[in-house]
Amino acid sequence: MVEGIIWALFAGLMLGLYALPAKFTKGFKEENTWGLFFMLTMFVVPILATFLIMKGVGNIYGAEDVQAILPKMVVTSVLWGIGVMMWGKAIHHIGVSLGFSIFIGTVILVGSLMPFLVEGLPESKVFLTIMVGLLFVLAGIFANGKAGITREADEVAAKSQSSEDGDGESADKKSMAAGILIAIVGGLLATGFSFANAVGRPPLHAASQAQGNPEWVTALAVMFPIFLSGGVIMAGYFAWQLTQKKAWGDFATPSLAKNFVLIFVMAVFHYAASAVFAYAAFKLGAVGNTVGYAIFNTACVVTAIVSGIVTGEWKLASSKAKNLLYAGLTCMVIGILIISLGNKFATEQPVADEIVAIETLSVETTS
């Protein structure tokens, strides 16, 4: 149990920190940084990880059941790819702190409601618990959005006092409202990952196990087609953006080697976070997808917000903006924990039902 908690914390730490190196690249436009990042994290890192770690790759993806579900995985993975791409754009607009908290909060909010639409409402205790948790997450998203808008107003006021000509980027390029909207829409689209995982995991798990892979390697088997499919749309988008902005030549900067290392670290952290969480969930056993998920997301959001504060994203923000940020973070952490509890109740319900059924059968037999 302790080992699983440590791995879940580590996974959240990696996801919370993955975008931080982008702040230290030099000579790159936004399109250079994120275009190279997505090429590495969607293609290079998954291909290396899959073929170095997973046994029987060809047999796994050639299995009949796997072939049947791949088209569905591809479609929903493309939506996820667009969502993650928008996440990167949101971070550029509103910073790591808000970009993570709003995006992750939206994913949790929608991802927790989605099973109700597909499978129907759960038992009332589970439903009410999850809904209370979602209200906290929603309040957290609202508070974070308000914090971002307040921070933007503080920054504009500070710059207008220190510079008559308004040094910095124009509002249409760095609009806080636009960044928040991008993060929310990106979070909605990113739930495509959950659909792809739900559809692909059962047959891919069976195929992976048949090749003698450990349980946690199933996560790599699921992520491989998701990342490649999502990466295709990103590759096309950034190729177009690099051409439109005439930014291809910026890759020739003297800082290319340093930038590549920083962005490669981003790619490894982004990809590895999901794989490490899968391993943590495996180590945590029955509570892996409930308690582990809460630990993972809480660690991710806290890490992102702290790293944003440390790197000066909020240095011009007023105490009001910071208090709203802290309030939003607190609400999101509480909400994630409550949702985790509701999901735990849901996993316990089938066991309880089975016990009741056995007891009923026993009574009927003895009578």
Side-chain angles (χ1 to χ4, degrees):
M1 172 70 87
V2 174
E3 183 182 356
I5 291 173
I6 292 172
W7 280 112
L9 285 169
F10 185 52
L13 184 67
M14 285 196 296
L15 190 60
L17 290 174
Y18 97 85
L20 191 59
K23 290 178 173 289
F24 304 101
T25 57
K26 294 181 180 179
F28 272 12
K29 291 186 173 71
E30 176 194 355
E31 290 74 20
N32 297 100
T33 298
W34 290 103
L36 180 57
F37 164 74
F38 284 122
M39 288 300 294
L40 291 174
T41 198
M42 294 296 175
F43 298 105
V44 177
V45 175
I47 289 171
L48 288 175
T50 299
F51 285 93
L52 288 175
I53 297 173
M54 197 161 60
K55 294 184 289 187
V57 175
N59 292 331
I60 290 172
Y61 295 107
E64 186 176 343
D65 289 347
V66 173
Q67 287 286 315
I69 53 87
L70 280 177
K72 296 178 182 178
M73 291 187 71
V74 168
V75 172
T76 52
S77 297
V78 167
L79 295 178
W80 168 75
I82 297 172
V84 174
M85 180 176 65
M86 295 179 73
W87 186 12
K89 299 285 285 186
I91 290 172
H92 173 71
H93 277 273
I94 61 179
V96 173
S97 300
L98 286 181
F100 269 82
S101 57
I102 293 175
F103 180 87
I104 296 293
T106 303
V107 170
I108 294 170
L109 186 67
V110 179
S112 298
L113 288 172
M114 206 63 72
F116 299 163
L117 301 178
V118 178
E119 302 168 4
L121 296 180
E123 184 260 336
S124 58
K125 177 182 177 182
V126 175
F127 177 72
L128 290 175
T129 303
I130 291 177
M131 289 306 295
V132 170
L134 290 178
L135 287 175
F136 273 96
V137 172
L138 188 61
I141 294 173
F142 178 81
N144 284 331
K146 183 67 175 174
I149 293 171
T150 304
R151 187 189 86 185
E152 183 184 41
D154 296 336
E155 290 172 348
V156 170
K159 289 177 182 178
S160 65
Q161 290 176 1
S162 62
S163 176
E164 294 182 359
D165 56 4
D167 186 24
E169 295 187 59
S170 60
D172 61 328
K173 290 184 178 179
K174 296 283 287 183
S175 169
M176 185 65 68
I180 292 171
L181 179 60
I182 291 171
I184 292 174
V185 174
L188 291 172
L189 294 175
T191 55
F193 187 101
S194 298
F195 279 105
N197 179 70
V199 170
R201 185 174 177 82
L204 281 167
H205 177 69
S208 177
Q209 291 288 282
Q211 297 302 312
N213 289 299
E215 288 258 357
W216 65 271
V217 173
T218 297
L220 299 185
V222 173
M223 288 193 296
F224 188 59
I226 293 177
F227 273 62
L228 292 186
S229 302
V232 169
I233 192 71
M234 294 179 189
Y237 172 78
F238 278 104
W240 175 70
Q241 281 286 289
L242 287 164
T243 302
Q244 288 290 106
K245 302 287 180 68
K246 298 181 180 179
W248 288 103
D250 290 316
F251 282 115
T253 175
S255 301
L256 175 61
K258 176 188 174 183
N259 289 351
F260 183 87
V261 171
L262 288 170
I263 294 170
F264 186 74
V265 170
M266 290 170 59
V268 171
F269 273 36
H270 178 261
Y271 179 83
S274 297
V276 171
F277 169 68
Y279 183 70
F282 169 66
K283 282 293 184 181
L284 285 167
V287 297
N289 288 320
T290 53
V291 176
Y293 186 72
I295 294 170
F296 172 62
N297 282 293
T298 302
C300 168
V301 174
V302 171
T303 300
I305 288 179
V306 171
S307 66
I309 293 172
V310 169
T311 55
E313 287 182 357
W314 295 80
K315 63 183 179 181
L316 297 179
S318 62
S319 57
K320 178 183 178 181
K322 291 177 182 177
N323 288 337
L324 282 167
L325 179 70
Y326 301 147
L329 172 62
T330 302
C331 286
M332 285 189 63
V333 170
I334 293 173
I336 291 168
L337 293 174
I338 294 175
I339 291 170
S340 170
L341 181 63
N343 287 330
K344 186 173 184 295
F345 290 154
T347 60
E348 291 172 349
Q349 189 62 35
V351 176
D353 291 343
E354 185 177 343
I355 292 173
V356 171
I358 291 172
E359 290 176 345
T360 303
L361 180 61
S362 175
V363 170
E364 290 176 350
T365 303
T366 54
S367 60

